[in-house]
C-alpha cells in the first residue's frame, strides 16, 4: 500500500503551506493554549485538509484561500478530537497520552473552544458568507451526532440505520464539507459542488466504518478496544447483535463497557461482522468513485482515486 505522503505528493507544497499556517495560527497569548496546541498538532494524517486542497484544485481554483480553508477544517477536526477525548475519557491519541490525560479536562475542552473559534475567525477573514454558512451548519450537525452517540451508549438494540445516521453526522459531515468548500472557493457550478459533497459524504462514511474495524484490530494511535470499553456500539457489533444467537447476544451485551475485546473479536469474526463492515465501506467507496468520475480529468482527480484506496486499506 502506498503511503499517504507519496499519494499526496502532487499537493505537497500546498500541504506544507497549510502546516505553516496551522503552526502560525495555533499561537495564543496564553502559553498553555499554545503548548497544548503544539502538543496535539503533530502526527495527524491531514486527510481533511487534503480534501479541501484537492477539491479546489480539481475545480481549477487559482488563489490562496484554499490553504486557509484547509487549515480551518483541520482546526475544527482537532477541536472535535479534543472534546471527544474528554467525553470518552480516552487515554491515548495519535500514539501519545491524550490531551486530557496530560492537561486535564478543563484545559482540553477550552483549548478545543479556542481552535473552534479561531477557525471561524479565519473563515471570516476570507469574507465568503457561503463558507461560513456551510461550516456553521456542519459544526451543529457534528455536535448533534456526538450527543446522539452518547445517548445511545449501551443501547444494544441500535439498528444499522440509526448507527449510519450517527456516523453521517459525527464523521462524514466534515468530509462532505471539506470537499464542498473546495468547490465553493473555486466558484464551481452547483452540480459539481453537489458531486463533491456526495463524494465527501460517502468517503467519510467509509472512513468511519474502517475506523470501527481498526478499533478492534489495529494500532490507530488510540487504545485498542476503546469503543467497547466506552459501551459504544459500532457497525461490527450492531451486525453481530443482529446475526448472533441468544448466547452470542448475551456475551456481547455483557462485554459492552469492558476490556474483553478478544471475546468480542472472536464472535465478530465467526459471524462475518468485520467482513460485512468492510464490504459496506467498499460500497461507500464505490459510490464516492461515481461522483469523482463526474469531475474533469486532472492529476488531482487521480490523487483523489489513490486517496480513496489508501483510506479503505489503511491500518492507522
Ligand atoms: C467542536 C464542533 C465540535 C463538536 C464537538 C466531540 C464532538 C463534538 C465530536 C467528535 C467527532 C469525532 C471525534 C468523530 C470521529 C471521527 C474520526 C474517525 C476521527 C479520527 O480521524 P483521523 O483518523 O485522525 O483522520 P488524525 O489523527 O489522523 O487526524
Amino acid at each position: 500500500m502506498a503511503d499517504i505522503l507519496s499519494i499526496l505528493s502532487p499537493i505537497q507544497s500546498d500541504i506544507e503551506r497549510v502546516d505553516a499556517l496551522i503552526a502560525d495560527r495555533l499561537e495564543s497569548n496564553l502559553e498553555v493554549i499554545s503548548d497544548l496546541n503544539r502538543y496535539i498538532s503533530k502526527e495527524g494524517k491531514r486527510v481533511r485538509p487534503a480534501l479541501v486542497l484537492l477539491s479546489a484544485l480539481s475545480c481549477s481554483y487559482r488563489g490562496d484561500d484554499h490553504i486557509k480553508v484547509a487549515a480551518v477544517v483541520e482546526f475544527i477536526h482537532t477541536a472535535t478530537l479534543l472534546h471527544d477525548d474528554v467525553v470518552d475519557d480516552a487515554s491515548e491519541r495519535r500514539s501519545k497520552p491524550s490531551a486530557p490525560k496530560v492537561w486535564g479536562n478543563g484545559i482540553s475542552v477550552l483549548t478545543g473552544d479556542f481552535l473552534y473559534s479561531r477557525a471561524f475567525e479565519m473563515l471570516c477573514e476570507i469574507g465568503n458568507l457561503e463558507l461560513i454558512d456551510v461550516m456553521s451548519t456542519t459544526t451543529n450537525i457534528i455536535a448533534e451526532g456526538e450527543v446522539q452517540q452518547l445517548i445511545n451508549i449501551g443501547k444494544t438494540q441500535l439498528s444499522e440505520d440509526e448507527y449510519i445516521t450517527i456516523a453521517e453526522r459525527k464523521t462524514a459531515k466534515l468530509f462532505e464539507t471539506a470537499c464542498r468548500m473546495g468547490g465553493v472557493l473555486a466558484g464551481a457550478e452547483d452540480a459539481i459542488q453537489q458531486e463533491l459533497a456526495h463524494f465527501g459524504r460517502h468517503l467519510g462514511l467509509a472512513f468511519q466504518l474502517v475506523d470501527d474495524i481498526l478499533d478492534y484490530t489495529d494500532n490507530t494511535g488510540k487504545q485498542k478496544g476503546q469503543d467497547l470499553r466506552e459501551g459504544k456500539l459500532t457497525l461490527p457489533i450492531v451486525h453481530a447483535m443482529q446475526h448472533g444467537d441468544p448466547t452470542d447476544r448475551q456475551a456481547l451485551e455483557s462485554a459492552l463497557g469492558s476490556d474483553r475485546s478478544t471475546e468480542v473479536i472472536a464472535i465478530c469474526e465467526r459471524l462475518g461482522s468485520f467482513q460485512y463492515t468492510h464490504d459496506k465501506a467498499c460500497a461507500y467507496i464505490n459510490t464516492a468513485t461515481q461522483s469523482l468520475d463526474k469531475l474533469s480529468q486532472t492529476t488531482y482527480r487521480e490523487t483523489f482515486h489513490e486517496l480513496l484506496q489508501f483510506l479503505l486499506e489503511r491500518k492507522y
Side-chain angles (χ1 to χ4, degrees):
M1 178 175 52
D3 69 85
I4 191 155
L5 286 178
S6 62
I7 291 171
L8 297 180
S9 59
I11 54 166
Q12 183 54 32
S13 60
D14 275 359
I15 297 261
E16 282 165 16
R17 290 173 71 198
V18 174
D19 278 345
L21 183 61
I22 286 177
D24 185 47
R25 302 303 295 266
L26 283 178
E27 291 304 321
S28 147
N29 290 330
L30 276 180
E31 209 173 317
V32 65
I33 293 184
S34 300
D35 287 352
L36 188 149
N37 276 334
R38 276 194 288 274
Y39 178 81
I40 48 148
S41 72
K42 299 280 185 311
E43 315 296 342
K45 291 182 286 301
R46 300 282 200 265
V47 172
R48 297 159 190 80
L51 294 177
V52 175
L53 300 174
L54 288 169
S55 299
L57 294 169
S58 65
C59 294
S60 309
Y61 177 67
R62 304 263 179 273
D64 288 322
D65 285 338
H66 61 321
I67 305 295
K68 198 174 261 186
V69 172
V72 162
V73 170
E74 187 69 357
F75 278 5
I76 296 289
H77 166 57
T78 311
T80 71
L81 296 185
L82 278 171
H83 286 185
D84 198 47
D85 285 347
V86 171
V87 174
D88 296 348
D89 194 25
S91 55
E92 286 172 37
R93 169 74 66 183
R94 296 174 172 168
S95 307
K96 292 199 293 194
S98 69
K101 292 296 163 218
V102 179
W103 305 86
N105 285 349
I107 297 284
S108 300
V109 169
L110 296 171
T111 303
D113 292 342
F114 170 87
L115 287 176
Y116 178 82
S117 58
R118 174 61 45 99
F120 277 98
E121 183 180 52
M122 289 164 72
L123 274 186
C124 290
E125 287 163 8
I126 298 174
N128 179 332
L129 197 55
E130 197 179 344
L131 294 176
I132 300 172
D133 183 24
V134 170
M135 186 52 99
S136 55
T137 305
T138 297
T139 47
N140 265 282
I141 290 174
I142 297 171
E144 278 177 348
E146 195 67 6
V147 170
Q148 198 179 359
Q149 173 170 273
L150 200 57
I151 58 180
N152 279 310
I153 289 284
K155 181 180 166 189
T156 52
Q157 299 310 313
L158 193 74
S159 71
E160 182 168 327
D161 283 352
E162 286 173 303
Y163 176 71
I164 294 296
T165 303
I166 294 172
E168 249 165 4
R169 291 178 177 162
K170 73 165 188 169
T171 305
K173 190 68 194 174
L174 192 55
F175 279 73
E176 173 185 327
T177 294
C179 295
R180 182 189 287 276
M181 282 175 130
V184 171
L185 262 182
E189 60 188 71
D190 254 17
I192 294 295
Q193 287 187 28
Q194 300 286 356
E195 292 300 344
L196 284 167
H198 182 266
F199 163 76
R201 181 162 68 255
H202 289 87
L203 167 58
L205 281 166
F207 187 89
Q208 183 57 58
L209 298 190
V210 171
D211 216 68
D212 293 350
I213 301 171
L214 292 177
D215 188 75
Y216 284 96
T217 56
D218 275 278
N219 178 8
T220 55
K222 294 185 286 183
Q223 247 189 325
K224 218 165 148 176
Q226 175 74 13
D227 291 338
L228 185 72
R229 206 170 296 114
E230 289 166 31
K232 204 186 275 175
L233 272 90
T234 55
L235 192 58
I237 309 297
V238 170
H239 177 272
M241 287 295 285
Q242 280 165 3
H243 293 83
D245 60 22
T247 316
D248 292 326
R249 274 199 291 278
Q250 205 188 11
L252 291 167
E253 270 178 35
S254 77
L256 270 180
S258 81
D259 267 322
R260 303 205 310 274
S261 59
T262 314
E263 197 182 321
V264 170
I265 289 169
I267 297 173
C268 286
E269 270 171 356
R270 177 164 47 76
L271 295 171
S273 306
F274 292 127
Q275 188 59 49
Y276 175 79
T277 305
H278 179 78
D279 291 347
K280 190 135 183 142
C282 288
Y284 283 131
I285 292 286
N286 287 339
T287 308
T289 305
Q290 286 162 20
S291 284
L292 211 47
D293 290 341
K294 301 204 175 105
L295 304 182
S296 328
Q297 200 179 350
T298 59
T299 22
Y300 306 113
R301 194 177 79 170
E302 286 320 301
T303 305
F304 260 143
H305 276 295
E306 288 172 35
L307 189 60
L308 277 182
Q309 211 48 41
F310 168 82
L311 293 177
L312 182 64
E313 293 168 10
R314 74 196 169 101
K315 297 286 174 227
Y316 64 98

